[in-house]
Amino acid sequence: MSCYEMIDARFGDLIDPVAFLETIHTGNRWAEGPVYFADLRSLIWSDIPNDRMLRWDEDTGAVSLFRSHVSNPNGNTRDSLGRLVTCMQGERRVVRTEWDGTITVLADSFDGKPLNSPNDVVVKSDGSIWFTDPNYGIISDYVGRKGLQEQTGCHVYRIDPLSGAITVVADDFSMPNGLAFSPDEKRLYISDSGFLTDRSAPHHVRQFDVDGDRLLNSRVFADISPGIPDGFRVDVTGNLWISAWDGVQCHTPEGELIGKIQVPEMVANLAFGGPRNNRLFITATTSVYAVFLNVRGQKYPFGT
């Protein structure tokens, strides 16, 4: 049975009609933050409430524990040297795993006060690290540690690659969530999932122009329904593959919805991977799914 919903004929050029949605693992409480390691032929993802990260081996199909007791990890990516960068919701910080396994804290506060609960992260080709900081991890003990919000709001931040200085690049979000650069890095897309906790809040993806270390010209790229947008990724032609409550929605660079990948659970995040980077890995509530596409994903900036 096809897993695709064709809304526009252009979607047909991006999918393989004989490819099907595969379940590669189940048994999570809330699967999030997938990141593909091409050099290891492995997918790593977070299982937030279970306070662990898991690893799937592409050659054997085996799933093993990658790391446990890691303070409710959420979004993951790799930097230009291939090191793992992770948002730790429970500890309110963004960290990097060095090659020897030690952990370097990249950000845990702004203006002298603890961050809320870093959610998702992406690395630009200049080495700068951009991350979102909603408060999901401090409003309950399920996916973080319930605590006081000390920041004035839920913002988007940038970490300078040379000085390590942290700056706010967007401060008008309800709940900033997933983020990704366009293939030419001239635009940054950021989802707002405020609707999840406040039905009057947004459920859309916004688009910004990138001017060095600044974001300019904010506009709504696409409203996502049903539910909310969470994490997403961009393919090499600029299409956005966006998580939603009814699966994965594919939007053109102009924001048009042209098709969907139907997934039986609410989708949280996704990542491109595989030897040709044409396999879309999908973290959706209790399970991780994968499907081969007829387009390759954009790499950010190393093998992801």
Side-chain angles (χ1 to χ4, degrees), residues 133-162:
D133 189 41
N135 64 15
Y136 292 127
I138 58 174
I139 57 178
S140 80
D141 287 318
Y142 185 61
V143 293
R145 298 174 185 172
K146 190 173 182 178
L148 179 67
Q149 178 174 323
E150 298 186 48
Q151 292 297 323
T152 58
C154 298
H155 306 322
V156 183
Y157 296 89
R158 176 186 182 272
I159 305 174
D160 187 84
L162 298 178

Side-chain angles (χ1 to χ4, degrees), residues 120-143:
D120 207 355
V121 59
V122 67
V123 179
K124 197 167 178 279
S125 61
D126 64 1
S128 58
I129 298 171
W130 306 61
F131 68 94
T132 56
D133 189 41
N135 64 15
Y136 292 127
I138 58 174
I139 57 178
S140 80
D141 287 318
Y142 185 61
V143 293

Side-chain angles (χ1 to χ4, degrees), residues 33 35 37 44 53 66-67 75-79 81-86 95-99 103-104 106:
V35 57
F37 279 65
I44 291 172
M53 299 170 73
F66 176 72
R67 190 175 290 164
N76 296 282
T77 191
R78 299 182 79 182
D79 69 9
L81 297 180
R83 297 169 296 187
L84 178 66
V85 179
T86 303
V95 304
R96 181 178 66 220
T97 302
E98 309 297 346
W99 289 116
I103 302 297
T104 298
L106 302 175

Side-chain angles (χ1 to χ4, degrees), residues 213-273:
D213 59 358
R214 298 186 303 158
L215 297 180
L216 306 174
N217 305 321
S218 170
R219 61 269 193 194
V220 174
F221 173 77
D223 282 303
I224 305 301
S225 182
I228 61 166
D230 197 328
F232 55 92
R233 283 294 179 263
V234 179
D235 67 34
V236 293
T237 63
N239 300 302
L240 270 69
W241 300 78
I242 303 171
S243 64
W245 287 5
D246 61 344
V248 177
Q249 299 187 8
C250 180
H251 292 250
T252 69
E254 294 73 37
E256 301 170 271
L257 175 62
I258 59 173
K260 300 180 181 181
I261 301 173
Q262 297 169 330
V263 181
E265 299 180 86
M266 184 168 62
V267 175
N269 215 327
L270 40 118
F272 281 97

